[in-house]
Amino acid sequence: MHVPDGFINAPVSAATGVIAAGAVAVSLRGARRELDERTAPLAGLVAAFIFAVQMLNFPVAAGTSGHLLGGALAAILVGPYTGVLCVSVVLLMQGVLFADGGLTALGVNITDMAIVTTVVAYLIFRGLVKVLPRSRRSITVSSFVAALISVPAAAVAFTFLYALGGTTDVSLGKVATAMIGVHVLIGIGEAAITALTVGAVIAVRPDLVYGARGLTQKLKLRVGGELVDVPAEEPVPAPVAARSHRKVWIAGLITSLVLAGFVSFYASANPDGLEKVAHDKGIDKKAEEHATSDSPLADYGVKDITDTRLSGGLAGVIGVGVTVVAGSGIFWALRRRRTTDAGPAATDSVSEISEKA
């Protein structure tokens, strides 16, 4: 669903740029509350993983493919504000380095693929978690449903933006029908990937899943043939948060590198949902050449390397590396800022208590 330059006119592109900038600014502040010793090291990895999985287009219909958008996955793993930033980092890397998604359309893409998917998915996820039994299975099921709905929601958002600023004279009804129809199918793939990933992390380290916080179940003892809750006499002596996340981080990075560097070669070569609809309906008549089309990594290949498999694999590995470094740098800076801001506040509170005493 990466929108190229020329699909949406300048005024609407500029307006979405303002919306995207505002959302990123809000997310930067919100992420400072979400990021802690558990999520800060993993947020950059989540961005890199989304980048890697987005290279794995899967077939959804005759001549059409789809790929992960990632908003639901990021929101559930590291929080909605941090999730918006994760997907935004991915879109920025793709647009600047790989000529994927227009630069003048960056605001459109962030609004559609980062903001809409993350917000819609997280609202649905939280609503389901509140009504379903408090268990790990409910987290996985809620992740599936939230991801499934987030993709056609993004298709609806694109249709709305096209209605406001589309550069071609194509029936809005045709665009809406085609976009929503194919992206419902893509949403199934998104839901499966999201649920499998969230379920895998929960199985190993549930404490690292932002959306699973507060869902721990009380221990029970069988007394006289009946199960009763174990009384909570004192806090757990060794908090799960204190456990090292290094193994999870390394495993996630290796998985991302393998997916982008090797598995991506076997991804579907068919155009994705937006490309297919744009070509079939004529939306792409005024598409513009990408500003970085001469980039050494344009179209996910390394320039001057003639071996297709090596070129694509190396580009994928570079993309994962750049994304994890950029994302980790941003999230560590936000984490440090939170720690710095908390210091004076805590000092002031102690001073006020002392004065009152």
Side-chain angles (χ1 to χ4, degrees):
M1 200 179 288
H2 294 76
V3 179
D5 295 321
F7 275 29
I8 306 296
N9 64 25
V12 174
S13 295
T16 56
V18 172
I19 293 172
V24 168
V26 171
S27 296
L28 287 170
R29 294 181 61 86
R32 286 160 56 187
R33 298 191 298 271
E34 293 174 346
L35 294 170
D36 56 21
E37 66 278 1
R38 291 172 292 182
T39 54
L42 295 175
L45 178 61
V46 169
F49 181 77
I50 290 173
F51 175 91
V53 179
Q54 283 197 2
M55 294 183 66
L56 308 180
N57 281 47
F58 48 85
V60 294
T64 310
S65 69
H67 62 70
L68 182 82
L69 298 186
L73 178 62
I76 295 166
L77 288 180
V78 292
Y81 293 108
T82 309
V84 169
L85 297 179
C86 283
V87 181
S88 297
V89 168
V90 173
L91 293 172
L92 180 61
M93 295 298 104
Q94 291 171 332
V96 173
L97 298 179
F98 297 91
D100 189 10
L103 296 184
T104 61
L106 185 59
V108 173
N109 286 318
I110 290 177
T111 299
D112 195 21
M113 296 177 64
I115 301 171
V116 171
T117 58
T118 302
V119 172
V120 170
Y122 195 72
L123 289 176
I124 294 172
F125 174 80
R126 294 308 305 174
L128 290 173
V129 166
K130 288 182 178 180
V131 300
L132 293 176
R134 299 168 70 83
S135 66
R136 294 180 182 180
R137 180 174 296 179
S138 71
I139 298 296
T140 305
V141 172
S142 299
S143 301
F144 184 94
V145 177
L148 175 64
I149 297 176
S150 70
V151 177
V156 172
F158 170 80
T159 304
F160 175 73
L161 294 175
Y162 176 80
L164 293 178
T167 56
T168 54
D169 186 18
V170 179
S171 168
L172 183 61
K174 292 181 179 179
V175 174
T177 301
M179 281 294 293
I180 297 172
V182 71
H183 283 90
V184 167
L185 298 177
I186 294 174
I188 297 173
E190 176 103 10
I193 295 171
T194 301
L196 288 172
T197 304
V198 171
V201 179
I202 287 179
V204 179
R205 290 290 301 274
D207 59 298
L208 296 180
V209 179
Y210 181 90
R213 293 182 179 181
L215 295 179
T216 54
Q217 295 178 320
K218 293 183 178 180
L219 294 176
K220 293 181 179 292
L221 290 176
R222 186 174 296 278
V223 179
E226 296 182 359
L227 291 176
V228 297
D229 291 334
V230 174
E233 297 180 355
E234 57 184 27
V236 179
V240 179
R243 295 164 55 190
S244 173
H245 49 257
R246 183 176 300 175
K247 291 182 179 180
V248 175
W249 196 92
I250 293 174
L253 180 59
I254 292 175
T255 300
S256 300
L257 291 172
V258 171
L259 291 176
F262 177 73
V263 181
S264 62
F265 179 78
Y266 300 97
S268 173
N270 291 329
D272 65 24
L274 177 58
E275 288 180 288
K276 180 66 172 176
V277 172
H279 177 73
D280 290 348
K281 305 302 178 183
I283 300 175
D284 59 355
K285 291 179 180 178
K286 295 186 178 181
E288 301 172 4
E289 184 178 7
H290 200 283
T292 62
S293 58
D294 59 347
S295 166
L297 299 173
D299 297 324
Y300 298 94
V302 178
K303 191 175 181 180
D304 297 330
I305 295 182
T306 56
D307 186 287
T308 303
R309 177 175 296 186
L310 178 60
S311 177
L314 185 56
V317 169
I318 293 172
V320 168
V322 172
T323 304
V324 76
V325 170
S328 298
I330 293 171
F331 298 125
W332 268 116
L334 289 174
R335 171 61 180 159
R336 289 173 61 87
R337 180 72 178 273
R338 172 186 172 179
T339 304
T340 302
D341 291 347
T347 303
D348 293 343
S349 298
V350 171
S351 300
E352 290 177 4
I353 293 174
S354 300
E355 291 174 2
K356 292 180 181 180

